[in-house]
Amino acid sequence: RKNVKLVMSIAKNWMRNSFSTAGANLGGAPGGGGTVTSTGTKRSDKSSKRFLAQMYEGSWDRPSLDEAVQEGMLGLARAVDKYDPERGLRFSTYATHWITSYVRVCFQRAVTGCLRVPSQLHDIKAAYNRIVRDHLHLGSDPPGQDSIAKELGISEQRLRTAIRATGSLLSVDAPVMGGGGGGSYKGSMAGGDGSNSQELKILDTLKCAEPKPEDQVEISFLRQCLENAMATELTPYERDVLRLRLGLDSGQGKTVRQIVEISGGSVSMSDVRSAERRAFKKLRSPTSVHTHNLLAYLDLAGADMKSTLSR
């Protein structure tokens, strides 16, 4: 039972330190001077419970108390396996090292997620935060990164690397303008348990260079329709020229000179241009079977139907 209390004590200590580092208000429940009424006492108790719940429930970049305790129990089990009574150490003293080590790794892993960051960088970041916090508590401005790097005995580039590599991850489901409850956000809210489903999320602001799924479906249908039209209306020579010019197979169109070089000089540049004109004229012909199907995709390409048919 004493060992379990030791695990709880270490886990809670790390929770408090992590919560204070995140910039939370550690003032506790309001308990200023003067007369305190029963109503004020009830409000103070509620604020204290709310504060503890917010601190122990964890967040996106901070584990909960349950997770920290579980990691601490693993450290305790490791200490039991490695403990040697002949060394003359108390078990609680020996177990503190392993419990603290496991809990520390738990908090470091929660910050960087699946990214493996060396523990030395986490130690540098912790020392940096400690120096900044001490200056803020004294009411003075924190020194610059160059001064802190000299105090820690490392280069400024090393300090910047540690700060950048150990930065907390962001959830794409997190709101862009996080309110007061943004620090305690945890989870994807995929089941619709969010308090405000209309709020703008980071996922809504991300841009993708690839076409939308519905556009990909339209492009695949257009490619199928174009293949059918080329197979029906064009000769094999005209199909080959059009494929090379438009890059239908490789995704990169070729110039007339490149097509002549590919053919080994068997055709001239004028032959390629005339074959291309004939192919386009056949595909634009109103009497073609597939013309109305191809014209239906002009809106997808943003082209004008009149100017296209007049070419």
Side-chain angles (χ1 to χ4, degrees), residues 111-260:
V111 172
T112 56
C114 60
L115 303 178
R116 175 65 173 87
V117 179
S119 59
Q120 293 83 357
L121 298 181
H122 285 283
D123 296 338
I124 294 174
K125 178 67 174 297
Y128 171 80
N129 291 334
R130 184 170 56 253
I131 294 174
V132 172
R133 187 169 58 250
D134 292 343
H135 282 79
L136 293 178
H137 287 171
L138 295 176
S140 60
D141 296 334
Q145 293 185 357
D146 52 349
S147 302
I148 297 179
K150 292 180 180 179
E151 184 176 352
L152 297 177
I154 58 177
S155 62
E156 186 177 357
Q157 181 64 28
R158 177 73 170 175
L159 178 60
R160 291 179 179 176
T161 302
I163 296 175
R164 183 175 63 254
T166 57
S168 60
L169 302 179
L170 293 177
S171 171
V172 294
D173 293 323
V176 175
M177 300 296 294
S184 60
Y185 178 84
K186 193 173 186 179
S188 61
M189 291 188 180
D193 56 347
S195 59
N196 186 7
S197 59
Q198 301 297 328
E199 61 185 2
L200 183 63
K201 299 179 180 179
I202 297 179
L203 181 62
D204 301 330
T205 62
L206 299 180
K207 295 182 179 180
C208 181
E210 298 181 357
K212 298 179 180 179
E214 55 270 19
D215 293 341
Q216 292 181 351
V217 174
E218 292 290 340
I219 292 174
S220 65
F221 286 155
L222 173 60
R223 177 62 183 266
Q224 182 178 0
C225 182
L226 182 60
E227 291 288 347
N228 295 335
M230 293 172 58
T232 305
E233 304 294 338
L234 306 182
T235 63
Y237 172 64
E238 294 170 346
R239 287 200 300 268
D240 294 340
V241 171
L242 205 60
R243 286 181 181 278
L244 293 174
R245 286 287 288 154
L246 300 180
L248 297 180
D249 296 330
S250 62
Q252 184 177 3
K254 298 185 181 300
T255 61
V256 176
R257 187 179 299 276
Q258 291 175 342
I259 296 177
V260 173

Side-chain angles (χ1 to χ4, degrees), residues 270-283:
S270 60
D271 294 336
V272 174
R273 291 193 180 97
S274 61
E276 182 182 3
R277 285 194 297 268
R278 290 197 305 269
F280 282 129
K281 185 176 181 180
K282 291 179 180 179
L283 294 177

